[in-house]
Amino acid sequence: MNYKSFNESLLSWYYEVRRDLPWRQTNDPYKIWLSEVMLQQTQVKTVIPYYNRFIDKYPTLDSIADESSENLLKEWEGLGYYNRIRNFHEAVKEVKSSYHSKVPDNLNEFLKLKGVGPYIGGAVQSIAFNHRVAAVDGNVLRVMTRLTEDDRDISKQKTITSIKEHIETFMPIFAGDFNQAMMELGATVCTPRIPKCVTCPVQSYCESFKNNTVNQYPFKKKSKAKKEYYYNIYLILNDNNEVYLYKETDDLLQGMYKFPKYDIDTSIENIEDKLNLTLSSLTEPIGEEKHVFTHKVWYMNIYVVYTKDKNDHFVPLSNVRDLPMSVAMQKVYKYIDETI
DNA sequence: CATTCGTGGTA
DNA sequence: TTACCAAGAAT
């Protein structure tokens, strides 16, 4: 393959059609980095409002480094993969204290930071500093495996590393534009289903198009079935118009607030002991909710119970919205708005 | 290396 | 409804 003319075809297409995304309006490495953290496993359309809110509220690296982790988690609420913001917060604090608030423009230094892996490393170093490093995401894997009829399993790290090294043998000096062009091609033309090969700017270089095997790529081994979990969720109200909440520290959704959540075979007496509360007798659940995660499913029965007790776990109903809560718990909380 | 981490959208 | 996917990283 003539990579020189491939690069020219790809880049001239990109300069003509590229979308005007918010993070393309800046050269600030901090902002580009933040956008890449938000974009992992998350669609552009979902990220845009979060990115704009963050930049509005935290315009500089120092401003986000100085914010509390709980406020950041609240801003991240609904975006998912909450460890991303925890790691990013740690990383920017490290940049502030050890790098004079300047994002390292050295790949190996940058990769030492929390939450910075091969993709974000390549993306930020190429886009912000124009270093010649590949940024290999799901789009790029799809484009490359189709271009070269690569049968390897793209869920394996070895395959990703190999493709990254291959790209770095031919990518041009316009590294940031090249990486974004590859991703843009995957996102808008070389799409997972019904790719637009007819209008593809690099169709003439594509082995799978030539052999009519595009739909065989990329190959990925099938994911395991999701495990199912059955819980009772308790909305515990006292006579101060307060509801019981706790901050998760061990399980899924760390740092987020949850209503008491127990396996369905846990007795109400057992729960009273664990929470040190005296609860009203249990009636029928007021609702059921299903929440699907990447790798598990929660089935939740929602109960309302009352108590005369008060302690630090009780939050006024008017303040619950100020705390970070996952979408699963928001589904539960809506029963308070609707039925109480 | 395989598994674990959210959420919303689509066919 | 079910399965897969989206600018992946930590463990």
Side-chain angles (χ1 to χ4, degrees):
Chain A
M1 169 150 100
N2 184 337
Y3 288 114
K4 189 173 184 330
S5 61
F6 171 86
N7 291 342
E8 287 170 0
S9 300
L10 177 70
L11 281 174
S12 62
W13 166 82
Y14 175 65
Y15 293 139
E16 191 167 327
V17 306
R18 64 177 158 188
R19 295 170 288 175
D20 187 21
L21 305 177
W23 43 90
R24 288 185 177 153
Q25 300 170 2
T26 180
N27 291 320
D28 185 342
Y30 150 66
K31 295 177 181 172
I32 293 167
W33 180 14
L34 172 62
S35 75
E36 296 299 343
V37 174
M38 290 181 161
L39 282 162
Q40 51 169 302
Q41 301 297 115
T42 311
Q43 293 195 347
V44 165
K45 191 173 74 174
T46 305
V47 166
I48 288 174
Y50 283 88
Y51 175 83
N52 286 333
R53 278 198 297 274
F54 265 75
I55 294 304
D56 190 44
K57 205 156 184 171
Y58 310 111
T60 65
L61 185 142
D62 282 2
S63 66
I64 199 164
D66 293 338
E67 178 60 289
S68 75
S69 54
E70 184 158 311
N71 285 346
L72 289 177
L73 201 50
K74 178 65 186 174
E75 292 294 323
W76 201 269
E77 180 185 270
L79 196 53
Y81 286 149
Y82 297 99
N83 272 328
R84 288 184 292 175
I85 185 59
R86 189 185 342 278
N87 289 335
F88 184 66
H89 194 207
E90 277 195 46
V92 294
K93 285 193 285 190
E94 174 72 11
V95 170
K96 184 185 176 192
S97 61
S98 300
Y99 297 92
H100 306 289
S101 300
K102 295 289 186 188
V103 178
D105 67 348
N106 173 285
L107 177 61
N108 288 327
E109 288 298 308
F110 188 53
L111 285 171
K112 291 177 184 171
L113 298 166
K114 281 280 174 66
V116 178
Y119 167 75
I120 291 183
V124 173
Q125 293 299 311
S126 66
I127 297 169
F129 304 117
N130 210 32
H131 290 172
R132 203 167 153 283
V133 189
V136 179
D137 72 335
N139 289 310
V140 176
L141 290 172
R142 188 168 56 254
V143 169
M144 288 301 295
T145 54
R146 285 173 175 170
L147 272 172
T148 64
E149 289 194 302
D150 188 336
D151 293 307
R152 291 175 295 178
D153 183 350
I154 63 160
S155 65
K156 293 194 177 304
Q157 191 61 48
K158 198 166 74 173
T159 306
I160 301 171
T161 303
S162 168
I163 289 176
K164 172 176 155 71
E165 290 172 351
H166 177 205
I167 292 171
E168 288 173 347
T169 65
F170 69 84
M171 67 186 293
I173 58 173
F174 312 106
D177 288 341
F178 172 85
N179 284 332
Q180 293 186 84
M182 289 286 279
M183 291 189 276
E184 192 90 344
L185 186 70
T188 63
V189 176
C190 195
T191 51
R193 289 180 289 262
I194 317 180
K196 303 171 179 63
C197 298
V198 180
T199 61
C200 179
V202 293
Q203 180 204 93
S204 63
Y205 308 90
C206 185
E207 290 297 319
S208 70
F209 178 78
K210 185 167 68 180
N211 299 324
N212 195 24
T213 58
V214 175
N215 59 3
Q216 296 177 26
Y217 301 95
F219 169 71
K220 183 193 270 183
K221 79 168 185 300
K222 273 197 283 190
S223 58
K224 299 195 315 183
K226 300 181 196 313
K227 284 185 186 168
E228 298 181 324
Y229 297 83
Y230 295 84
Y231 296 118
N232 290 340
I233 313 290
Y234 299 93
L235 293 166
I236 304 174
L237 300 165
N238 67 15
D239 25 355
N240 280 0
N241 251 348
E242 296 172 328
V243 63
Y244 188 102
L245 282 166
Y246 70 99
K247 185 193 269 197
E248 182 62 66
T249 55
D250 324 305
D251 195 18
L252 203 62
L253 301 164
Q254 284 189 31
M256 313 291 280
Y257 285 81
K258 291 178 180 171
F259 301 105
K261 160 177 130 338
Y262 293 99
D263 294 336
I264 50 171
D265 57 357
T266 309
S267 72
I268 191 75
E269 292 80 10
N270 195 339
I271 294 168
E272 287 183 302
D273 283 348
K274 288 175 189 292
L275 301 182
N276 193 23
L277 295 173
T278 304
L279 302 175
S280 62
S281 60
L282 209 54
T283 59
E284 290 299 301
I286 61 168
E288 300 174 3
E289 288 292 332
K290 173 186 181 183
H291 190 71
V292 181
F293 298 91
T294 304
H295 56 297
K296 55 183 73 169
V297 183
W298 285 2
Y299 293 96
M300 301 177 283
N301 299 318
I302 297 125
Y303 292 89
V304 173
V305 294
Y306 297 92
T307 182
K308 296 193 179 307
D309 297 327
K310 301 167 180 63
N311 64 40
D312 289 347
H313 282 286
F314 284 94
V315 177
L317 291 177
S318 55
N319 293 357
V320 171
R321 293 292 184 200
D322 298 334
L323 301 173
M325 271 202 300
S326 67
V327 171
M329 285 300 137
Q330 291 175 23
K331 288 178 181 175
V332 174
Y333 184 67
K334 81 177 190 318
Y335 285 89
I336 289 187
D337 293 333
E338 290 176 0
T339 43
I340 298 176

